[in-house]
Amino acid sequence: MTARPKSKPKIGFDSGPAGGWGSARSVTEIVLREQVPVSGSALLAKQNKPAGYMCVSCAWAKPAKPHPLEFCENGAKATAWEITGRRVDEAFFASHTLGELEGWRDHDLEEQGRLIHPMRWDEASDKYIPVSWESAFTEIGRELKHFDPKNVEFYTSGRASLETSYMYQLFARIYGSNNLPDSSNMCHESSSVGLPQSIGATVGTAVLSDFQNCDCIFYIAQNVGTSSPRLLHDLQDAVDRGVKIVTFNLLREPGLERFTNPQAPTEMLTLKETPISSEYYQLRNGGDVAALMGVSKALIEADDALHASSLSKVTGFDAAPKDPANAAAVAFAASMAAADKKHVLDHDFIAEHTAGFEEFAAAARNYSWDELERVSGLTSGQMIEAARTYAASDAVLICYGMGLTQQIMGVENVEMIANLALLRGNIGKPGANICAVRGHSNVQGQRTVGITEKPELVPLDKLSELYHFEAPRWEGHTTVDTCKAILKGETKAFISLGGNFLRAVPETAAMEEAWREIPLTVQIATKLNRSHVIHGKIAYLLPCLGRLEVDHQASGPQEVSIESSVAQFHGSRGRAKPASPHLLSEPAIVAGMAKATLTTGTVPWDSWVANYAEIRNAIERTYPETFRDFNKRFMQPGGFHRPVPARERKWVTPNKKANFITPPRLFPIFEDAPTGSNVLNLSTLRSNDQFNTTVYGYNDRFRGVNGTRQVVFVNKHDIISMGFAPGDIVDLTTAIDPQTERKVRGFRLVAYDIPKGCCAAYYPETNPLFPLAHHDPQAKTPSYKLLPIRLTRSQTEPIH
Ligand SMILES: Nc1nc2c(c(=O)[nH]1)N[C@H]1C(S)=C(S)[C@@H](COP(=O)(O)OP(=O)(O)OC[C@H]3O[C@@H](n4cnc5c(=O)[nH]c(N)nc54)[C@H](O)[C@@H]3O)O[C@H]1N2
Ligand SMILES: Nc1nc2c(c(=O)[nH]1)N[C@H]1C(S)=C(S)[C@@H](COP(=O)(O)OP(=O)(O)OC[C@H]3O[C@@H](n4cnc5c(=O)[nH]c(N)nc54)[C@H](O)[C@@H]3O)O[C@H]1N2
Ligand SMILES: [Mo]
């Protein structure tokens, strides 16, 4: 039977600051639990170093001059999890049917250890049984040849290297499919849609040195202490230089409040804490458009007020603030005048570089403070205070994460970030840029080398010319489109390069049932998860080397490359002994499937696998500007940057301008708007003890939760007004689209510092609540950070 957490759940804080001793303890615990070979701890010293390997956890940048130990608590956990001494061997599969494993939880499946042999599902015994690589490739190729490529999905989770990703998209396209959904569709897709419209960039414009050159950082909707802890070093250094950090978050996240560097022994001994945020604005989930509109309004109206007093000199701007009675706004303008400022906005920049300002400014002036307060959950005083800090800074860096992108208005959120930056020319100058903090370690890079469903983003002519095939031109599937196709029974094959699709997507219950009807599922993976246990009619589980392992091919040990959140390419060389001699590398598995499937194209699959430098040469031939001298530069300290035109204030938009884009409204309109009591807006989060669907353990020391993940964080006044008490057990039911009941049961109520009307719970346990159609309409990013739900008393005991 599946293991349960050993201790009873305990709710309550005993954690110190982010980092610190808690972090050190947490690392030691997992290294011991995973029976990491002794050499493993030495391996950590090589993490994120030139000539070392690039961490498999988050996408944060690797500096050219690394810290002595360039890793963090969660990087160390991810490393221990991958180089674990535990193995899922043939005996394991012989003793468990997949029907039985369906009853296991995410943690228990992955905790079994590394997959070490290619397996095929055997219908008679309902077990995975070992097969040879050759027979796996042959059958996969034979099946794929029968299907219409439009009905085949090639999913990628954001960990695969640039080399693997390039080969994989080529395999899909020569086969005839643009169905290349990836984890990015559920993650930063709102950025990939919003930023091009605003500033003509598909990625953020920030580089690492911006952290050294800014004098203020707006830090929005990202949980640095858990999700990208190495970025805390950059924040801490900035704070030490006197940089102001202005945070907007649903919760008070300890990593954004204070930090003790666990790698600085003196700090650990003296418990020197760096306070991180100088201003902390706790807003409602979904309240960001309103909050940023409020900040913009304050800036614009203060600018108006300054001009009103010296109007004769300035023309072209609305003179009088809409609401001159507003004392705080007037005080703001007065303070600017006292500082001898003629403007609050950067009018030269606006005139030279942008379009759409007047419309945006008019909209900002028109919103009443009452409405902005009601929707954001902030006071006008708070929004004006943030605007004052913004206006007092010459170079503001704006960082943001999932709290903005995973929303019905995700694209508008991202466009509001750009609007705010454009008001004072905070883009394309040292210290002033937009930093989209990415998730998976190579999620950004995969897009750069062609993993995308959008044919217009790929040099298809070039690919066709290089490899002599006719590339498909039709628009492929995003993850949401893929789910739709699976639910309709149209999907014939689902190939997965990593990831845990079934747990990551919305609409869990219906998806699990439809998944079983897919004729062929192929999972390339390191660890066992639910997307393998539930499976198609023919099902393969193909284990691969991880990035931390030595990847030995015909020409010797290989290196791979990835792209960080700040558009830097880095090389990575595996150091650990492979988990099993039966493992193939990801490039070898992709090549094996491609050779068995394709009848056209002139890709030299074998010589690429023999020497990955050849793949990098092919990438450079395809994208000569982005990857100039790829093989020469990728292993150099700090990697090399990809050109991002917006960073140079070149706007690759249809009108060649950076565009202010006015959001149509402040908050989404829900169809079937929920009525009645006990409705709260849910945001789903990561704990400090997970990496996406990989659940390392049941503690979230930053949020005072120990021994359980079945919790829902609610404001104590809401708990009481709904007739509950903290600790009560409740069910969560989706409050929109009532035609289908979506419910999760047995969650413990935790009284938490969260605005009224909102609640939060962990992903992926709450994914069954999300209707598939509940996504940003342009980007199709599921609205994982905003869903109206209803709480009712539970008849179910919590499972832990
Ligand atoms: N340890 C660890 N590291 C990870 C991951 C992991 O699971 N574990 N996952 C990786 C991946 S793929 C990704 S995409 C990133 C995710 O990293 P984050 O972007 O940090 O994503 P979440 O943990 O989901 O947290 C979102 C943050 O937004 C806040 N928030 C929620 N709703 C709102 C809102 O409406 N407005 C505002 N302003 N704030 C809101 C939450 O309180 C939380 O602090 O991390 C990557 N790194
Ligand atoms: N409700 C809710 N849902 C969400 C989110 C949310 O915030 N809330 N976040 C979304 C986001 S941002 C993301 S990115 C997705 C994540 O979705 P995915 O990327 O699909 O999921 P992961 O949990 O990262 O995938 C974990 C699995 O990847 C495999 N794996 C690990 N390393 C390797 C490797 O090196 N090679 C191969 N081939 N396989 C490997 C292991 O088998 C492991 O079980 O989830 C999304 N879903
Ligand atoms: Mo992500």
Side-chain angles (χ1 to χ4, degrees):
M1 212 15 240
T2 133
R4 296 275 177 247
K6 290 171 193 66
S7 52
K8 278 181 72 143
K10 184 170 147 275
I11 311 294
F13 284 97
D14 54 7
S15 69
W21 291 113
S23 148
R25 217 174 19 243
S26 186
V27 170
T28 314
E29 195 265 332
I30 196 164
V31 169
L32 291 176
R33 176 155 53 92
E34 287 305 310
Q35 302 161 8
V36 169
V38 184
S39 59
S41 36
L43 202 64
L44 283 174
K46 302 257 187 294
Q47 193 148 316
N48 303 315
K49 292 287 187 52
Y53 63 88
M54 291 302 142
C55 179
V56 293
S57 193
C58 81
W60 191 240
K62 290 81 191 170
K65 288 202 193 101
H67 297 83
L69 296 173
E70 187 63 42
F71 67 89
C72 68
E73 169 180 358
N74 276 303
K77 283 183 189 170
T79 298
W81 201 249
E82 183 164 311
I83 61 170
T84 174
R86 297 165 183 254
R87 300 286 178 268
V88 184
D89 54 15
E90 289 153 53
F92 173 85
F93 282 120
S95 51
H96 301 286
T97 64
L98 296 195
E100 181 207 333
L101 293 175
E102 268 186 42
W104 288 31
R105 289 174 310 162
D106 301 307
H107 168 80
D108 302 333
L109 291 171
E110 286 213 26
E111 172 74 357
Q112 300 310 310
R114 286 287 297 278
L115 297 163
I116 54 172
H117 204 286
M119 309 297 270
R120 183 186 189 281
W121 174 62
D122 172 56
E123 188 170 8
S125 60
D126 187 30
K127 287 175 179 166
Y128 271 126
I129 56 170
V131 286
S132 71
W133 282 105
E134 218 28 66
S135 73
F137 293 147
T138 305
E139 187 178 26
I140 292 166
R142 192 169 59 229
E143 290 300 312
L144 285 178
K145 279 183 198 154
H146 292 154
F147 301 137
D148 179 345
K150 285 202 160 146
N151 296 330
V152 175
E153 308 290 347
F154 294 85
Y155 176 69
T156 324
S157 167
R159 191 175 290 192
S161 65
L162 292 166
E163 291 79 357
T164 306
S165 303
Y166 180 78
M167 290 173 78
Y168 190 65
Q169 62 85 32
L170 206 50
F171 168 35
R173 295 205 156 92
I174 299 178
Y175 174 64
S177 181
N178 281 327
N179 290 338
L180 286 150
D182 71 342
S183 58
S184 167
N185 292 140
M186 297 177 263
C187 187
H188 260 291
E189 189 65 26
S190 308
S191 305
S192 309
V193 172
L195 292 178
Q197 294 172 166
S198 291
I199 56 168
T202 50
V203 297
T205 58
V207 292
L208 260 190
S209 60
D210 286 327
F211 285 83
Q212 285 132 41
N213 292 320
C214 61
D215 51 12
C216 174
I217 299 175
F218 266 50
Y219 206 91
I220 309 181
Q222 208 269 347
N223 186 13
V224 60
T226 283
S227 303
S228 44
R230 284 182 304 106
L231 167 50
L232 271 173
H233 293 296
D234 301 286
L235 294 183
Q236 189 187 28
D237 292 348
V239 170
D240 287 346
R241 281 195 305 110
V243 167
K244 295 232 163 17
I245 300 195
V246 180
T247 295
F248 292 81
N249 198 298
L250 170 68
L251 304 177
R252 293 196 74 90
E253 301 284 24
L256 286 159
E257 297 198 291
R258 55 203 204 288
F259 177 55
T260 298
N261 187 346
Q263 293 162 15
T266 46
E267 280 193 18
M268 290 285 279
L269 291 174
T270 57
L271 278 186
K272 173 183 167 260
E273 295 176 12
T274 306
I276 298 290
S277 302
S278 41
E279 292 165 40
Y280 206 116
Y281 300 115
Q282 212 179 337
L283 77 182
R284 295 214 169 93
N285 51 331
D288 299 271
V289 169
L292 298 180
M293 188 63 83
V295 176
S296 303
K297 177 183 173 74
L299 292 166
I300 291 164
E301 292 189 349
D303 193 70
D304 291 342
L306 279 182
H307 292 188
S309 55
S310 58
L311 192 62
S312 55
K313 292 189 212 126
V314 187
T315 53
F317 289 93
D318 192 0
K322 198 86 191 163
D323 184 7
N326 188 299
V330 170
F332 173 19
S335 73
M336 294 298 283
D340 227 15
K341 297 273 190 296
K342 302 273 180 293
H343 315 284
V344 176
L345 309 182
D346 184 341
H347 292 289
D348 292 342
F349 176 86
I350 292 172
E352 185 186 342
H353 288 283
T354 73
F357 170 75
E358 286 305 337
E359 189 193 334
F360 178 71
R365 291 182 192 109
N366 261 321
Y367 282 113
S368 71
W369 283 117
D370 280 354
E371 194 178 359
L372 295 168
E373 289 184 339
R374 185 177 52 74
V375 180
S376 68
L378 300 178
T379 64
S380 59
Q382 289 176 308
M383 292 181 263
I384 292 165
E385 185 60 31
R388 285 178 82 144
T389 306
Y390 187 79
S393 310
D394 292 326
V396 182
L397 179 60
I398 311 183
C399 302
Y400 69 95
M402 290 301 102
L404 283 195
T405 60
Q406 295 174 330
Q407 295 264 355
I408 294 274
M409 290 182 65
V411 171
E412 282 87 356
N413 273 328
V414 170
E415 289 168 349
M416 277 305 295
I417 296 275
N419 293 337
L420 181 63
L422 295 179
L423 283 176
R424 282 182 48 82
N426 272 317
I427 189 155
K429 66 179 186 190
N433 268 309
I434 294 175
C435 181
V437 185
R438 297 269 162 171
H440 271 295
S441 49
N442 193 34
V443 65
Q444 182 159 318
Q446 298 185 333
R447 283 295 173 104
T448 309
V449 295
I451 301 270
T452 171
E453 73 288 352
K454 298 184 179 69
E456 67 276 14
L457 296 182
V458 186
L460 293 177
D461 291 337
K462 187 88 186 188
L463 291 178
S464 301
E465 175 201 315
L466 285 171
Y467 305 109
H468 306 99
F469 73 105
E470 203 37 66
R473 306 277 161 165
W474 43 273
E475 176 98 14
H477 288 164
T478 61
T479 53
V480 164
D481 301 327
T482 301
C483 292
K484 276 190 203 152
I486 293 172
L487 290 173
K488 278 197 242 152
E490 291 170 359
T491 303
K492 299 294 180 212
F494 187 98
I495 320 286
S496 205
L497 181 57
N500 186 0
F501 190 80
L502 267 188
R503 292 299 274 161
V505 298
E507 206 78 87
T508 312
M511 280 299 298
E512 289 193 350
E513 286 324 298
W515 189 256
R516 300 173 201 275
E517 302 304 318
I518 303 176
L520 173 68
T521 53
V522 178
Q523 297 282 344
I524 303 160
T526 51
K527 291 277 187 102
L528 187 62
N529 66 44
R530 193 164 176 85
S531 304
H532 315 151
V533 168
I534 300 180
H535 56 85
K537 306 274 186 204
I538 299 176
Y540 279 97
L541 183 48
L542 306 180
C544 63
L545 286 174
R547 192 192 298 149
L548 308 183
E549 290 163 321
V550 176
D551 181 352
H552 206 97
Q553 302 293 345
S555 68
Q558 302 298 311
E559 285 130 4
V560 294
S561 51
I562 58 166
E563 179 180 343
S564 77
S565 278
V566 291
Q568 240 174 338
F569 299 117
H570 292 278
S572 178
R573 185 178 296 155
R575 298 281 180 165
K577 184 165 176 265
S580 144
H582 302 297
L583 299 179
L584 289 186
S585 73
E586 289 180 327
I589 296 173
V590 174
M593 292 193 298
K595 287 198 306 175
T597 309
L598 304 179
T599 49
T600 51
T602 53
V603 178
W605 298 105
D606 288 331
S607 44
W608 282 6
V609 173
N611 181 2
Y612 297 176
E614 298 282 317
I615 315 172
R616 286 186 290 275
N617 284 335
I619 294 175
E620 186 176 341
R621 274 195 293 279
T622 313
Y623 304 92
E625 279 170 36
T626 309
F627 289 99
R628 185 174 49 79
D629 291 333
F630 194 4
N631 271 311
K632 277 204 202 105
R633 296 198 290 167
F634 82 114
M635 290 302 281
Q636 74 195 15
F640 68 97
H641 271 293
R642 113 186 215 197
V644 176
R647 196 188 291 144
E648 318 296 326
R649 297 192 165 176
K650 291 190 192 112
W651 318 106
V652 191
T653 54
N655 60 358
K656 305 270 186 295
K657 296 276 183 193
N659 291 302
F660 283 93
I661 300 178
T662 308
R665 61 186 67 82
L666 298 178
F667 198 77
I669 299 166
F670 296 116
E671 274 178 45
D672 300 317
T675 50
S677 56
N678 295 10
V679 173
L680 299 173
N681 283 327
L682 172 72
S683 183
T684 57
L685 310 170
R686 292 151 166 83
S687 84
N688 184 52
D689 222 2
Q690 75 182 88
F691 189 91
N692 297 339
T693 70
T694 296
V695 176
Y696 301 127
Y698 292 84
N699 301 326
D700 192 356
R701 64 187 177 82
F702 290 154
R703 300 196 182 108
V705 176
N706 298 290
T708 178
R709 293 174 51 85
Q710 295 281 116
V711 291
V712 52
F713 301 102
V714 181
N715 183 293
K716 107 171 156 279
H717 299 287
D718 282 339
I719 295 181
I720 291 162
S721 72
M722 291 188 295
F724 297 124
D728 282 359
I729 307 302
V730 292
D731 295 338
L732 282 49
T733 312
T734 305
I736 54 168
D737 188 24
Q739 290 79 1
T740 306
E741 187 186 69
R742 298 179 184 85
K743 192 177 214 148
V744 292
R745 296 171 202 272
F747 281 62
R748 192 174 263 103
L749 275 174
V750 174
Y752 205 75
D753 184 359
I754 182 170
K756 279 198 226 164
C758 311
C759 67
Y762 295 124
Y763 133 72
E765 287 81 352
T766 45
N767 284 40
L769 295 173
F770 287 86
L772 184 58
H774 188 63
H775 56 71
D776 178 285
Q778 299 179 68
K780 300 192 185 163
T781 314
S783 182
Y784 291 135
K785 298 296 189 264
L786 184 67
L787 174 73
I789 60 153
R790 196 168 269 120
L791 299 186
T792 50
R793 198 169 292 282
S794 185
Q795 306 305 319
T796 312
E797 270 302 296
I799 50 170
H800 49 85

